Amino acid sequence: MPNYKVYVSDYDYSDLSIEKEVLEPIGAEVIGLQCKTGINLAEMAKDADAIIQQYAKISRETIEQLNKCKVIARYGIGVDILDVEAAYENGMIVTNVSDYCIDEVADHSISMAFTLIRSIPAYNKATHEGKWHWNDWNSPVHRMREMSFGLIGFGRIAQNIARKLLPFGFEILVYDPYVSESYMATFGVQKVTLEELLKRSHVVDVMCPYTPQTHHLINEEALEIMKNDAILINCARGKVVDNKALYKALKEGKIAAAGLDDTEEEPAKVDGWSPEMNPLFKLENCIITPHSAYISQSSLNEARRTAAENVKAVLLGQSPPNIVMPKKKANLQNA
């Protein structure tokens, strides 16, 4: 009989070999589920000692039914799909992979921006249709060192983006109410208000976490403020951008183009999803990738191994290296 049962709520990897390699030597049975929505997870994993979570939403109601569970380990950084407060109130520890995909998301975000700045999708479409002329662009192509690049949020990924952009000569504007002007200055970027960033930026890159305060942060009003030739990039959570408002702005030429790594409905979490559910997929000036900004083979392996090591530490009575504190407790510690 195994000493522990570790359930993986859902996963899109080909197998769970990495998780098993870490956990089976301590007597843990690793059981893979495909409960992407999180509905009925408590019934499926009622005897869990630990849960590793990918896309499944784990609510307070689910947590309160997991009587044996000691730890919920996220494969990624964000914990917006997990009720962290409820987990701690019910005697569980929450972990994440805090340094996960910092290079990958930065590189993906920059790649999307550069692809649209240089109008590559429009040129590619034109040449495939037999057109061969420089003015078959989506909008006039700017010289990069004459452009302003706006970052909404200035966490570790945005800081990495800023560092990589500076050699191209961009003026980098940043909106983040939680980061000081003096700290931003050490990265060679300028702290501005959100309104100023939207007005001045040729590229607006969303890099903030998803919270109730950032839900639809980029809405119709924000899009109205942006330049007509501006580009919107979102490699953060899909719901930070109001997709109906974005569709309208792109369709009416209020902004030039957009690059999204996830749409608002978050297809990975929707059973039976099809692109017909979101009209953005019909627009040629909106490029969309399947929530793949974090992907490299190295990052995937790292996330899986780190999540499993976090679980292993908790089950063995040790302190895991990547603890996520509930907000109340974190605020007290930082006071």
Side-chain angles (χ1 to χ4, degrees):
M1 292 288 291
N3 297 326
Y4 312 105
K5 286 195 174 181
V6 178
Y7 286 85
V8 180
S9 63
D10 60 300
Y11 61 100
D12 52 14
Y13 315 122
S14 59
D15 57 41
L16 294 172
S17 58
I18 293 175
E19 294 81 355
K20 290 178 179 180
E21 180 186 335
V22 172
L23 291 164
E24 285 182 346
I26 67 165
E29 180 183 4
V30 178
I31 304 162
L33 305 175
Q34 286 299 357
C35 185
K36 287 187 177 183
T37 63
I39 297 170
N40 297 325
L41 178 61
E43 296 173 20
M44 298 179 190
K46 61 185 177 181
D47 57 347
D49 294 287
I51 290 178
I52 302 178
Q53 173 197 27
Q54 188 173 32
Y55 300 123
K57 184 174 182 179
I58 303 182
S59 65
R60 175 177 290 273
E61 182 182 2
T62 298
I63 287 167
E64 289 176 347
Q65 297 177 66
L66 297 170
N67 299 323
K68 288 183 61 185
C69 190
K70 301 175 183 67
V71 56
I72 300 176
R74 275 283 289 125
Y75 274 125
I77 299 173
V79 290
D80 54 289
I81 55 173
L82 169 62
D83 193 326
V84 178
E85 302 284 343
Y88 278 88
E89 288 170 18
N90 285 271
M92 302 176 198
I93 290 173
V94 174
T95 68
N96 67 352
V97 185
S98 59
D99 296 318
Y100 179 45
C101 65
I102 289 175
D103 272 317
E104 285 78 6
V105 177
D107 294 347
H108 195 91
S109 187
I110 292 169
S111 297
M112 275 190 153
F114 283 15
T115 294
L116 292 171
I117 287 170
R118 296 298 306 168
S119 209
I120 289 172
Y123 281 138
N124 181 66
K125 180 177 182 294
T127 58
H128 280 71
E129 292 174 350
K131 302 172 187 175
W132 199 269
H133 200 275
W134 60 264
N135 68 357
D136 288 316
W137 49 28
N138 185 62
S139 64
V141 175
H142 293 289
R143 181 177 286 165
M144 289 186 187
R145 61 182 166 86
E146 296 173 355
M147 297 177 73
S148 294
F149 198 110
L151 291 167
I152 298 178
F154 203 56
R156 282 171 295 179
I157 294 173
Q159 291 166 18
N160 197 13
I161 290 172
R163 179 179 61 81
K164 292 179 176 185
L165 285 177
L166 281 172
F168 290 89
F170 290 99
E171 175 188 45
I172 302 175
L173 310 175
V174 179
Y175 167 70
D176 192 323
Y178 306 104
V179 180
S180 71
E181 183 176 0
S182 60
Y183 182 72
M184 288 187 187
T186 66
F187 289 87
V189 306
Q190 182 183 347
K191 183 180 174 78
V192 295
T193 64
L194 179 58
E195 183 176 0
E196 186 177 356
L197 183 147
L198 294 170
K199 283 181 177 178
R200 290 173 55 186
S201 299
H202 297 90
V203 179
V204 173
D205 192 342
V206 180
M207 272 294 135
C208 59
Y210 178 65
T211 67
Q213 290 73 36
T214 62
H215 179 78
H216 285 185
L217 182 67
I218 302 300
N219 52 23
E220 188 169 358
E221 182 182 356
L223 291 160
E224 285 282 352
I225 296 172
M226 289 170 62
K227 295 174 179 289
N228 289 341
D229 60 354
I231 294 165
L232 176 70
I233 303 295
N234 182 24
C235 287
R237 296 291 188 194
K239 290 182 173 65
V240 178
V241 176
D242 181 338
N243 282 195
K244 289 182 180 178
L246 178 59
Y247 175 81
K248 184 172 181 282
L250 290 169
K251 190 76 172 173
E252 296 177 359
K254 297 286 178 63
I255 66 171
L260 310 176
D261 187 49
D262 207 355
T263 47
E264 190 172 348
E265 72 274 20
E266 299 182 308
K269 302 173 187 176
V270 178
D271 290 331
W273 175 84
S274 84
E276 298 301 316
M277 295 178 180
N278 192 325
L280 285 172
F281 286 90
K282 297 177 182 177
L283 298 180
E284 293 177 356
N285 58 343
C286 185
I287 60 173
I288 304 170
T289 52
H291 198 183
S292 58
Y294 63 95
I295 295 299
S296 72
Q297 192 58 59
S298 295
S299 71
L300 287 174
N301 291 348
E302 180 182 284
R304 295 173 62 188
R305 187 169 297 281
T306 302
E309 290 286 357
N310 283 330
V311 167
K312 177 182 175 181
V314 174
L315 294 180
L316 294 179
Q318 302 165 359
S319 179
N322 302 102
I323 293 179
V324 177
M325 301 295 288
K327 288 181 181 176
K328 292 176 185 175
K329 195 173 287 188
N331 289 340
L332 285 172
Q333 288 188 348
N334 293 328

